[in-house]
């Protein structure tokens, strides 16, 4: 009689071979052995299910982390849960000059991290990993557990899960106080911070082998078991992929920020009779808002704020081209703001036919506080002073690139001594989260309620307006898609 076929369960290989014959087992000791074997199989299956459930829950929490810091903290918390530690530390290594380099602790303050950094690198486990702990050739596990030894996870039967762990070298110090091989400073810092054992592993992926290092600290002498280290390896394989993606995103944002900063003024010029300040906040993808302050012939001054629709590197590049062109037009015909914006609209329509932009240009004569301005679909400026806070009455106009030929009249106004002209982008209104009319009222109230000492200082005024108009830290919210520009000129 042929042997029966084994049943197959998705994700698991049968661990018990079928009997060589179909005859029922003998009673007595044979039946007891079969029952014991069956119980062992069920226990092992239950253990695998528990491990998979734990990993799934931790990975779901990791997937909900939105920022790099959130991912690092979640990785620390999950790792501490898996290895039974109380505290931990992740140190990232900046692979490139523009990459983030940071250290984040779990249950460790800045002073504690500073203490850990005083341990000589030759003795510090995470520092040794950052310096390049070698991995065995061929991808084999290169375990380095200090003087504490340890059990290789491969020596324990971990079932199908054993084939999934990414090979991480490890450094484990199970009893730091009695480990004479460690540097005395290492033992001193451990005693001062109150940890007695540590377990460290690199943060690495096959594509990025030098991301950083993680170390978990125990309050009592201990070391993770083979199964704990194995589950940690499974978890880190996924967590380091998340960290690598966030690092790449951070580097991309740094590149975009450097590009944008290179296209905007590095500082505002000094102009007699005028005190100025500016604040610029951008979204995660980089927006197309710009500002500029340009000294013009005969002691005049050009002020401009604008924005190109869209986001990303292409929008930032288009913004740089428009701003540079506007500077040239302002030098040639700045006393006629309408002509400046008309030339800019023609350039945009010819060179960037798929884009539109809003802009406001003001020609200022500081000696007499006379301002001539024109706007193309842009928000009206706000006058702030001891005796009035009001919007400039500008004519409704279309953004540049929206019509076959842009045209709008200019507006002339004269400010009193001590008054400030606020130019801003529409992102300031959008970040309030209010309807447009209520957003304008909120901005007006924020400027009007500024104390006289604040109104007299452009730097203090722009900070006050941002705090009052954008509560809950929205001015500094880096993941908001809208840019914010706020330019103040006090005469």
């Amino acid at each position: 009689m042929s042997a029966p076929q084994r049943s197959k369960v998705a994700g698991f290989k049968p661990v018990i071979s079928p009997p060589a014959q179909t005859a029922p087992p003998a009673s007595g000791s044979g039946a007891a052995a079969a029952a014991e074997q069956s119980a062992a199989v069920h226990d092992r299956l239950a253990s695998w299910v528990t491990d998979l459930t734990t990993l799934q829950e931790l990975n779901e929490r990791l997937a909900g982390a939105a920022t790099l810091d959130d991912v690092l903290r979640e990785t620390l918390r999950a790792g501490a849960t898996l290895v039974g530690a109380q505290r931990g530390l992740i140190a990232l290594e900046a692979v490139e000059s523009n990459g983030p380099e940071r250290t984040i602790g779990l249950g460790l303050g800045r002073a504690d991290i500073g203490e850990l950094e005083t341990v000589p690198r030759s003795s510090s486990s995470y520092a040794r990993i950052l310096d390049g702990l070698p991995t065995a050739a061929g991808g084999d596990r290169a375990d380095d557990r200090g003087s504490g030894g340890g059990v290789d996870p491969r020596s324990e039967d971990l079932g199908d899960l054993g084939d999934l762990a990414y090979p991480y070298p490890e450094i484990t110090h199970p009893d730091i106080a009695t480990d004479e091989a460690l540097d005395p400073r290492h033992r001193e810092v451990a005693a001062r911070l109150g940890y007695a054992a540590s377990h460290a592993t690199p943060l690495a992926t096959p594509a990025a082998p030098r991301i950083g290092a993680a170390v978990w600290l125990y309050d009592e002498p201990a070391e993770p078991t083979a199964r704990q280290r194995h589950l940690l390896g499974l978890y880190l394989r996924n967590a380091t992929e998340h960290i690598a993606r966030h690092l790449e995103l951070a580097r991309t944002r740094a590149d975009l920020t450097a590009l944008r900063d290179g296209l905007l003024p590095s500082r505002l010029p000094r102009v007699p009779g005028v005190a100025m300040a500016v604040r610029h906040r951008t979204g995660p993808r980089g927006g197309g808002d710009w500002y500029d302050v340009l000294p013009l012939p005969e002691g005049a001054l050009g002020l401009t704020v604008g924005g190109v629709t869209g986001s990303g590197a292409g929008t930032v590049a288009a913004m740089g081209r428009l701003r540079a062109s506007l500077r040239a037009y302002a030098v040639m015909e700045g006393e006629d703001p309408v002509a400046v914006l008309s030339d800019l609209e023609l350039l945009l329509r010819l060179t960037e036919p798929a884009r539109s932009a809003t802009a406001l240009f003001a020609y200022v004569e500081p000696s007499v506080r006379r301002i001539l301005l024109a706007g193309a679909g842009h928000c009206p400026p706000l006058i702030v002073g001891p005796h009035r806070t009001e919007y400039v009455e500008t004519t409704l106009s279309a953004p540049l690139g929206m019509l076959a030929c842009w045209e709008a009249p200019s507006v002339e106004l004269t400010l009193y001594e001590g008054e400030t002209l606020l130019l801003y982008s529409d992102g300031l209104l959008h970040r309030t989260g209010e309807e447009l009319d209520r957003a304008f009222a909120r901005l007006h109230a924020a400027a009007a309620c500024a104390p006289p000492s604040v109104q007299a200082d452009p730097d203090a005024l722009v900070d006050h307006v941002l705090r009052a108009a954008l509560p809950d830290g929205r001015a500094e919210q880096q993941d908001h898609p809208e840019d914010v520009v706020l330019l103040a000129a006090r005469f």
Side-chain angles (χ1 to χ4, degrees):
M1 182 180 296
S2 60
Q5 295 294 323
R6 291 175 289 177
S7 61
K8 297 181 179 180
V9 180
F12 293 94
K13 298 177 184 177
V15 295
I16 303 300
S17 300
Q21 56 185 5
T22 58
S27 59
S29 61
E36 183 177 347
Q37 188 179 42
S38 176
V41 171
H42 283 89
D43 289 344
R44 182 173 297 175
L45 287 174
S47 176
W48 291 350
V49 170
T50 300
D51 291 344
L52 288 173
T53 302
T54 300
L55 289 174
Q56 181 182 1
E57 292 176 353
L58 294 177
N59 283 320
E60 287 177 353
R61 290 173 53 183
L62 180 67
T67 66
L68 176 61
D69 285 352
D70 291 341
V71 171
L72 294 176
R73 291 190 177 93
E74 183 57 39
T75 300
L76 275 175
R77 283 193 292 266
T81 299
L82 291 173
V83 300
Q86 290 75 39
R87 289 175 287 176
L89 171 73
I90 285 182
L92 295 183
E93 181 179 78
V95 180
E96 301 175 7
S97 59
N98 62 341
E101 185 174 356
R102 66 188 70 186
T103 301
I104 289 183
L106 172 68
L108 297 171
R110 289 186 177 181
D112 299 334
I113 294 175
E115 285 276 352
L116 289 171
E117 291 174 346
T118 64
V119 176
R121 296 188 72 85
S122 60
S123 182
S124 171
S125 55
Y126 77 89
R128 289 170 58 196
I129 292 174
L130 290 177
D131 290 340
L133 185 66
T135 303
D140 291 335
R141 193 181 191 88
D143 295 315
D144 180 356
R145 303 185 184 87
S147 61
V151 179
D152 193 329
R154 294 174 299 178
S155 65
E156 181 179 336
D157 187 359
L158 299 173
D160 289 347
L161 302 182
D163 299 330
L164 301 178
Y166 186 77
Y168 288 99
E170 301 168 333
I171 300 178
T172 301
H173 298 296
D175 192 350
I176 295 176
T178 61
D179 193 344
E180 297 296 334
L182 292 177
D183 188 279
R185 178 61 182 169
H186 192 161
R187 298 196 300 272
E188 177 186 347
V189 170
R192 182 174 300 176
L193 298 184
Y195 68 92
S198 66
H199 177 73
T201 181
L203 298 176
T205 66
R210 297 288 296 277
I211 293 179
V215 57
W216 286 272
L217 308 176
Y218 297 84
D219 293 345
E220 301 292 338
E223 63 177 312
T225 65
R227 180 166 290 275
Q228 286 176 328
R229 298 205 315 275
H230 173 71
L231 291 177
L232 177 65
L234 288 173
Y235 178 79
L236 289 180
R237 189 177 66 164
N238 182 43
T240 49
E241 292 287 351
H242 279 269
I243 295 173
R245 285 193 292 269
H246 279 276
L247 286 173
E248 183 62 29
L249 180 60
R251 284 191 285 268
T252 301
R253 289 177 178 174
D255 290 337
L256 195 58
T257 299
L259 171 63
R260 184 188 63 245
D261 292 345
L263 295 174
L264 293 175
S266 58
R267 60 181 181 83
L268 299 180
R270 293 180 177 270
V271 179
V274 185
M276 292 174 288
V278 66
R279 296 294 182 269
H280 185 202
R281 304 289 185 268
T282 60
R285 298 186 58 193
D289 286 5
W290 80 77
Y291 64 91
D292 204 354
V293 178
L294 180 64
L296 298 175
E298 301 179 0
L301 184 67
L303 302 176
T304 177
V305 169
V308 179
T309 56
S311 61
T315 299
V316 174
M319 175 271 290
R321 291 191 290 270
L322 281 185
R323 173 182 167 270
S325 301
L326 190 147
R327 290 173 68 91
Y329 298 145
V331 171
M332 293 186 294
E333 47 193 4
E335 66 279 0
D336 186 355
V338 173
V340 171
L341 294 185
S342 296
D343 291 343
L344 190 66
E345 195 272 340
L346 178 60
L347 176 71
L348 179 67
R349 189 151 42 87
L350 294 177
T351 60
E352 307 279 351
R355 297 186 185 275
S356 63
T358 65
L360 187 144
F361 177 75
Y363 178 80
V364 181
E365 297 177 5
S367 59
V368 294
R369 299 183 297 279
R370 174 178 173 269
I371 300 175
L372 192 64
L373 62 87
H378 206 79
C379 307
L382 181 63
I383 300 173
V384 181
H387 306 294
R388 62 173 175 169
T389 299
E390 62 186 28
Y391 287 103
V392 177
E393 293 291 339
T394 57
T395 303
L396 184 65
S397 59
L400 303 177
M402 295 292 290
L403 302 177
C405 182
W406 177 87
E407 186 175 354
S410 60
V411 176
E412 182 177 347
L413 62 146
T414 300
L415 298 186
Y416 298 109
E417 184 176 352
E419 288 188 327
T420 300
L421 185 68
L422 285 181
L423 281 67
Y424 53 94
S425 65
D426 57 358
L428 178 61
L429 303 175
H430 294 159
R431 284 206 185 195
T432 63
E434 310 258 357
E435 296 293 334
L436 198 58
D437 55 344
R438 297 186 63 180
F440 275 115
R442 190 182 189 97
L443 175 59
H444 182 278
C449 70
S453 59
V454 172
Q455 292 186 0
D457 181 359
D459 270 300
L461 179 61
V462 292
D463 288 336
H464 171 84
V465 169
L466 287 177
R467 286 194 304 268
L470 303 177
D472 305 325
R474 295 182 187 179
E476 304 297 333
Q477 190 176 358
Q478 297 184 359
D479 58 348
H480 198 285
E482 294 286 346
D483 284 13
V484 172
V485 171
L486 182 59
L487 175 64
R490 182 175 185 272
F491 300 86

